[in-house]
Amino acid sequence: MASKARLPCPNAAAAPHKPGLILLLALWGLCCAPGVVLAQDAPPAAPKDSEPQNEDKLDYVDVSMLTSAFEAFEAGDYATAEALFLGAVERTPSNYAYASLGLSIFLQGRCAGAGVAYDLAETAPPVETPTQAEVSERLTLYRSKLAESCIPTPVSCSPDSGVRIELDGKNTMACPPSGKLWLKEGTHSIVVSYAGLSEQAQVVAGQSEALFFEFPEIEPEPPEVIVESFPWEATGLVTMGVGTAALVAAVVVDQLVAVPSYDAAQEAEASNDAQAFVNQTSSFKTGRRAVLGLTISGGVLMGVGALMWALSPEASAAAEEPVDGGNASLWWVPDGAGVSWSQSW
């Protein structure tokens, strides 16, 4: 059995009722004024090549939000409907949501915001149901109602996007794409802002001279490029650590291999043990070469590591920072010398 989707009317005088399960965006109500009756099981009309397609897929939140907005609209709670339709266009812009948002604003007695929403509905991606033609037909009806009680005032802004208009200190909207700011009769105060800059003006509804607000276009700042620098400090510390380990190993080899072999060779020589003397002398020479190699390697690694650490940006920055409250003194004792350091805070 086919279910019917209905389009909301500008007078919104129909008795409220529950829309039930509605297919995607077939949420528009058919009021007492002439409307379009849609069948849910009827295939949507194929869009024209010139019409943009809404590639965004509506999820559960989109459908739930639009359904709740429609129910609030039917119940006459236009403020709630406005908030929900506004949330819907922020998530997934569409011609249906913008047109419904504009009507919710208009029925609260605000002309300017309704006009801007209708402008945005003209270029927003269409939904499948209702069709683009049906939305355009209802937008024409909405605009005719807007023209009956509101006066178009020519306004243009530069740059084309990002400029915001605050009307009478409470309602903020985009600069109207159509160049027409719909106002109620009388004088209104507006504040036009863009990128932290603002201009103020008094606007008389329907004035013949167009208002033009121009701001210097702000170039977006290029993204900061972070270049990974070579870790001089960390590498220097690691290199010095390896050098220190090599020097410690040299001392260990000297004490455990070279020195005992040398002592043993001396004892073998004293006892005329030629074979033991040859063996211990060979062991001593091997140990001495190992000690020499470890000492040279450790010293080189220590020097390279210290140089890398000294050239690191962190060490350079630390060296440039003055140290307050410290003093050093050289002191002498009979058997040696040393350096003392005191620090105050």
Side-chain angles (χ1 to χ4, degrees):
M1 177 177 178
S3 165
K4 297 179 180 179
R6 295 155 303 119
L7 304 171
C9 297
N11 57 21
H17 67 281
K18 292 288 184 182
L21 294 177
I22 302 175
L23 177 63
L24 295 179
L25 291 178
L27 304 174
W28 291 33
L30 177 64
C31 302
C32 299
V36 180
V37 180
L38 304 175
Q40 280 188 353
D41 54 358
K48 298 178 181 180
D49 294 338
S50 59
E51 294 175 351
Q53 290 300 296
N54 190 354
E55 300 294 341
D56 297 322
K57 301 299 182 181
L58 295 178
D59 57 18
Y60 173 79
V61 176
D62 292 320
V63 176
S64 177
M65 186 177 295
L66 290 170
T67 303
S68 299
F70 183 80
E71 292 176 347
F73 185 95
E74 283 198 315
D77 188 356
Y78 304 127
T80 299
E82 175 191 352
L84 291 170
F85 280 126
L86 182 60
V89 299
E90 289 177 349
R91 283 181 55 85
T92 309
S94 68
N95 58 349
Y96 161 75
Y98 270 120
S100 300
L101 172 64
L103 182 58
S104 301
I105 294 174
F106 173 76
L107 292 175
Q108 296 178 71
R110 289 152 45 206
C111 300
V116 172
Y118 295 156
D119 289 346
L120 296 175
E122 298 284 358
T123 57
V127 295
E128 292 183 351
T129 307
T131 65
Q132 177 79 345
E134 292 159 351
V135 175
S136 298
E137 178 184 351
R138 192 47 60 99
L139 269 175
T140 301
L141 175 61
Y142 294 169
R143 288 190 181 278
S144 68
K145 294 296 183 181
L146 181 67
E148 290 177 3
S149 55
C150 307
I151 304 173
T153 303
V155 175
S156 60
C157 308
S158 177
D160 297 333
S161 63
V163 178
R164 306 289 294 176
I165 293 180
E166 181 184 273
L167 180 64
D168 295 329
K170 55 184 177 180
N171 300 314
T172 304
M173 68 210 75
C175 191
S178 65
K180 295 180 181 179
L181 186 65
W182 292 86
L183 300 172
K184 290 185 177 181
E185 186 176 359
T187 302
H188 303 268
S189 63
I190 64 173
V191 176
V192 184
S193 59
Y194 172 76
L197 305 174
S198 63
E199 295 183 22
Q200 299 183 8
Q202 295 291 320
V203 180
V204 179
Q207 63 182 24
S208 57
E209 183 179 356
L211 291 174
F212 179 63
F213 298 95
E214 183 176 13
F215 297 93
E217 192 164 0
I218 305 299
E219 293 291 337
E221 294 184 3
E224 183 180 358
V225 179
I226 301 177
V227 180
E228 293 292 339
S229 60
F230 185 79
W232 291 99
E233 183 180 26
T235 306
L237 292 175
V238 171
T239 304
M240 284 191 291
V242 174
T244 302
L247 294 177
V248 172
V251 174
V252 172
V253 172
D254 180 63
Q255 295 298 314
L256 297 182
V257 177
V259 172
S261 297
Y262 178 81
D263 293 340
Q266 292 296 319
E267 292 177 1
E269 183 182 12
S271 60
N272 295 320
D273 188 347
Q275 183 63 41
F277 177 78
V278 171
N279 294 337
Q280 293 301 326
T281 300
S282 176
S283 178
F284 167 71
K285 291 180 179 179
T286 301
R288 186 176 60 178
R289 284 194 296 268
V291 171
L292 182 61
L294 289 170
T295 302
I296 294 175
S297 300
V300 171
L301 290 173
M302 286 286 290
V304 172
L307 181 61
M308 295 177 69
W309 181 84
L311 293 177
S312 66
E314 295 84 354
S316 300
E320 293 176 359
E321 295 181 358
V323 179
D324 297 329
N327 59 82
S329 62
L330 183 66
W331 49 268
W332 291 90
V333 295
D335 297 326
V339 177
S340 67
W341 177 266
S342 63
Q343 178 75 32
S344 61
W345 297 89

